[in-house]
Structures are given as structure tokens and as C-alpha cells.
Amino acid sequence: MGSARITVIGTGYVGLTTGACLASLGHRVTCVDVDEVKVARLAAGRVDILEPGLEELVSRGLAAGRLSFAVGSRGSVWNAQAVFLCVPTPMGARGAADLRAVEAVVDEIAGTLPPGCVVITKSTVPVGTAQRIRDRLGRSDVPVVANPEFLREGTAVSDFLNPDRIVVGSDDEAAARRVAALYADLAAPTVVTDAASAELVKYAANCFLAMKLSYVNAMAELCERLGADILSVTEGMGYDHRIGRAFLKPGPGWGGSCLPKDTHALVQVAESVGFDFSLLSAAIGENIAQRDRIVAKIAGAVGGSLAGARIGVLGLAFKAGTNDLRDSPALSVTSMLAAHGAEVTAYDPAIGGDLPGMRLVDDPYQVAKGADAIVVLTEWDEFRRLDWSYLADLMHGDAVVDTRNLLDPPAILAVGLCWLGLGRPRVRARATA
């Protein structure tokens, strides 16, 4: 398609990354949102999303004149050759994807789209959405293409510009290939297929990863009961090329903006066609159980009862490298701690302001003051470099619960603290004579 005129509707995590990256590939991109204040900030090059490289990419696109921002969809699509729908599709009733935002945008732009313009779903949408959009548009001259995103928070720009694969699907193969051509400079493997298959690819990939994470968390629990070490177990598994090493690290559970809603949505899609996806349902249940196990581990570390216990928490974002709190397992755990009567003091390098059920501080050492236990819930690398001797002096108790297996146990042991990881032997300091 060469240099194309593109409109990206939605300037959230997916939309802004998509727009900025497409502009960096030489396309002329207008990113649209309904929030006038947000649009003004973006037009000034101010990016509120914590995503490495994104603000720089936005600034370069603005300076080059290839990237612009506007309020309102209808007036921004009249000359577009491609329109990307990047609006939220949150979890709705009984876990199904809520498509109201998608439908509202389609209704708004239906009469303004120029003939031949391609409408592209970038948001994660259930199978059948492309057909649903076609019916809603009522335009035989406007093809619809599914082009799911595979962006990881914290590495989104790199993921977009260095993709493992590009998936495009439509019942109009020519339209699908036009969309694939937008990414020609990336020279990535491209899967061109029908719309239903393309829509299902995203769910299939995310749900597989969720099941893999639930599996390794269950294995970590089994290691603790059998006296095995999960690090050795996953190392032995990871060398098998059929399995690989990715997503084999235990933690407090999976969360974020994608895996929880996508797993529930696929279960609902399966039920709609009479298929009991019990394997995926079990993975969801295991994820909930993992958070219960973490809370029980913390309770055990402070003597069995959390009532009145002072817990210092390191990390609240659902993963390091982002300020995203959506469905964060860390927030679930801290909420459960507070519900059991614990006094929670928390620190996260990317999170500020006030959060219910805890005292949020701006210095990691403040979480240790009088704490009965310190709990690592997000794998920020800076926690490895903390002065644990100083932390030990500030604490009332001696327990460090490392739900990410992030820290160096001997270093914790050396300052007289007890280290508890996931799926690993408990390490306690020797009593001095």
C-alpha cells in the first residue's frame, strides 16, 4: 500500500502504540480520542503511559508531520485509506467481551468512510466481530479486516516493530493483503487467513500463555510439598524446545489488561457453541487459588494470623516496567491482606497517589518500618539492589516473602532475615551464639 493515510481510533495502550509505530514506518497517521484533554497532551508530545520508547516515537512522529491527534472520529476518517479500531473491549456480563465501544464507533463513522477504506479491528474481539461490523456498517464498499495485536506491556514498541508474526484475516483476501502491506517494512512472517481464524488466534495465544502460567504456579506449590526446587524443574523443562523457557516463572498469579478478560471471553465463546472448555476454566480457577496460597504463605510467615500484622509490600503494578494496575495480582493480594486485618504499607516505583486498603509511600525503605514481613509482589529489578541490611534494621519481624523469586536468598540470609520464595526451600538465618 506504500505510504497510507491511516486513522487510529482510540489512544490507549494499543491505539497510541499502533499509531506511533505506523507513523514511524512512513505512514500518515491521525490518532483520535474523545478525551479533549488527553488529545491536547498528546499533541504536545506528552505521553502518560509508561512504555519504553513510546514518548520518543510520538515526538518524532509529530516533528516529522506524520503523526497528529484529533478529537472525534467522524471528522477524521473522511479521507482515510485504513481505519484501525483500538477502543476498549473490557470484560462484560459473565466474562464476555463488551463490544459497546466498538459498536458506537462503527455507528459514528459508517456514513463518513470513503469507498474502499479498510476498517481494521486491532482490539481483541470475539470470533464473529468482523462479520458483525460489516453488518452494522451496511457498506459493501468498505471491507473489514481482523488484525490482532500481540503487544506486551513494557516492550510494546519493540514488539510492534520486531514482531514474531503479523496476522490479518478477512473474507476479502485482497483487503487482508492490503493491510498486510502496511507492515511490509517489518519483514515479519505474515499469516493471511479468514476473519474468524484471525480473531481466534489472539485468544488462542493469550489463553495458552495463561494456562502455562497457571501450570507453573501449580508446579511451584507441588515443589514445596515434595521438597523440590522449581528453579531446577523449570530449567530442566525449558531446555526442551517443545516447551521453551518463556512463561515458566511462578508468581502471585497472572493479571493485566489482557489475560483475565481474554480467558473469560474465550470460555464464554466456547459455551456459546456448546463446548465446555474445562481446561481453560481450570486455569482460571488455579489463578484464583494462587492468590489464596500467597496470602496463606504470608500469614504463615507472621505466625498464622494477619490481624494486626504490619506488612510491607514491594510492587503493585501487574508486572515490572509498567504503571498498569488493571487486574494486578499484587492489588488482589494486598486487598486480601487488608481484609484479613493486616496493616499494609506499599511502594511501587511507577505508582503514586492513594489506593484503598493501604498506605502508599514514595520510598521503598519506608515499607520496612516496624514491618512483621516484607512481601515482593512485582519483579522490579531495583528491589534486588536495596540495602537489605538497612531494611532488616527497620523491620520488627524477619520474614521476606518473595513471590517472584527475585531476590538473592544468601544476601537475605546474611542480614539475619528469613527468605520464603515460591516452589523453593525456605531459607532462614542461623541463630547466633
Side-chain angles (χ1 to χ4, degrees):
M1 187 179 282
S3 178
R5 296 186 303 274
I6 296 173
T7 299
V8 176
I9 300 178
T11 61
Y13 171 75
V14 172
L16 186 57
T17 303
T18 297
C21 288
L22 286 170
S24 77
L25 296 177
H27 302 296
R28 287 159 289 169
V29 181
T30 300
C31 290
V32 177
D33 206 286
V34 295
D35 187 332
E36 294 183 10
V37 174
K38 185 177 184 181
V39 167
R41 288 176 61 82
L42 289 170
R46 299 167 66 183
V47 176
D48 296 325
I49 300 171
L50 180 60
E51 187 61 50
L54 183 55
E55 187 167 3
E56 293 80 1
L57 214 58
V58 168
S59 296
R60 288 204 297 269
L62 289 168
R66 291 193 300 267
L67 181 64
S68 61
F69 295 91
V71 177
S73 303
R74 184 179 292 113
S76 302
V77 301
W78 64 273
N79 68 339
Q81 294 169 287
V83 174
F84 283 83
L85 304 182
C86 300
V87 296
T89 54
M91 192 186 306
R94 298 184 64 242
D98 185 343
L99 297 179
R100 284 179 294 181
V102 173
E103 293 169 348
V105 169
V106 170
D107 291 346
E108 183 177 354
I109 66 176
T112 313
L113 292 166
C117 176
V118 183
V119 172
I120 305 154
T121 56
K122 199 68 171 172
S123 305
T124 303
V125 294
V127 175
T129 300
Q131 181 61 53
R132 189 170 174 175
I133 291 174
R134 281 198 299 273
D135 294 343
R136 203 171 188 98
L137 283 171
R139 296 277 302 271
S140 60
D141 59 343
V142 175
V144 179
V145 174
N147 175 216
E149 53 86 12
F150 301 98
L151 307 178
R152 297 168 296 169
E153 292 194 42
T155 58
V157 171
S158 176
D159 289 344
F160 191 103
L161 298 176
N162 304 279
D164 293 329
R165 76 291 203 194
I166 294 165
V167 177
V168 290
S170 178
D171 296 337
D172 182 337
E173 184 178 347
R177 295 198 177 278
R178 285 173 59 198
V179 173
L182 297 173
Y183 303 95
D185 288 348
L186 300 181
T190 302
V191 178
V192 178
T193 184
D194 59 277
S197 297
E199 290 166 339
L200 190 54
V201 166
K202 177 62 183 293
Y203 283 109
N206 273 1
C207 292
F208 180 83
L209 295 177
M211 290 191 290
K212 194 172 182 181
L213 287 169
S214 285
Y215 180 81
V216 77
N217 281 336
M219 286 301 304
E221 176 68 14
L222 191 57
C223 283
E224 290 185 18
R225 299 191 183 199
L226 295 176
D229 188 333
I230 190 65
L231 294 191
S232 297
V233 172
T234 54
E235 181 182 12
M237 293 171 62
Y239 282 116
D240 189 327
H241 68 274
R242 298 169 301 174
I243 298 172
R245 299 186 181 189
F247 286 74
L248 282 184
K249 293 182 179 179
W254 38 267
S257 62
C258 293
L259 296 190
K261 74 180 183 68
D262 290 354
T263 49
H264 282 89
L266 189 56
V267 167
Q268 290 301 312
V269 167
E271 287 183 359
S272 72
V273 291
F275 177 64
D276 179 12
F277 206 153
S278 55
L279 180 62
L280 183 54
S281 297
I284 296 171
E286 173 61 30
N287 193 48
I288 296 170
Q290 180 68 0
R291 300 176 190 193
D292 292 332
R293 287 197 289 262
I294 295 297
V295 172
K297 182 184 286 287
I298 297 168
V302 296
S305 174
L306 288 165
R310 293 184 176 182
I311 308 297
V313 168
L314 293 173
L316 294 171
F318 91 94
K319 64 179 285 189
T322 177
N323 57 356
D324 197 341
L325 293 173
R326 287 175 292 179
D327 272 303
S328 170
L331 276 189
S332 293
V333 169
T334 54
S335 295
M336 294 167 71
L337 292 173
H340 283 84
E343 299 176 23
V344 179
T345 301
Y347 166 80
D348 188 291
I351 307 298
D354 298 314
L355 292 172
M358 71 186 78
R359 182 171 70 97
L360 199 58
V361 297
D362 58 7
D363 183 334
Y365 293 100
Q366 292 183 49
V367 307
K369 292 181 178 179
D372 296 299
I374 291 178
V375 183
V376 177
L377 289 173
T378 308
E379 69 282 18
W380 289 100
D381 192 59
E382 71 175 67
F383 297 155
R384 301 176 190 265
R385 300 188 296 271
L386 293 175
D387 183 343
W388 284 93
S389 178
Y390 181 44
L391 286 164
D393 290 341
L394 294 172
M395 291 177 67
H396 174 264
D398 68 349
V400 176
V401 182
D402 184 1
T403 73
R404 298 286 186 169
N405 291 340
L406 178 73
L407 308 175
D408 178 25
I412 305 300
L413 178 70
V415 299
L417 297 175
C418 171
W419 180 87
L420 297 89
L422 295 191
R424 305 205 65 202
R426 181 186 182 113
V427 179
R428 180 179 292 279
R430 294 181 182 177
T432 57

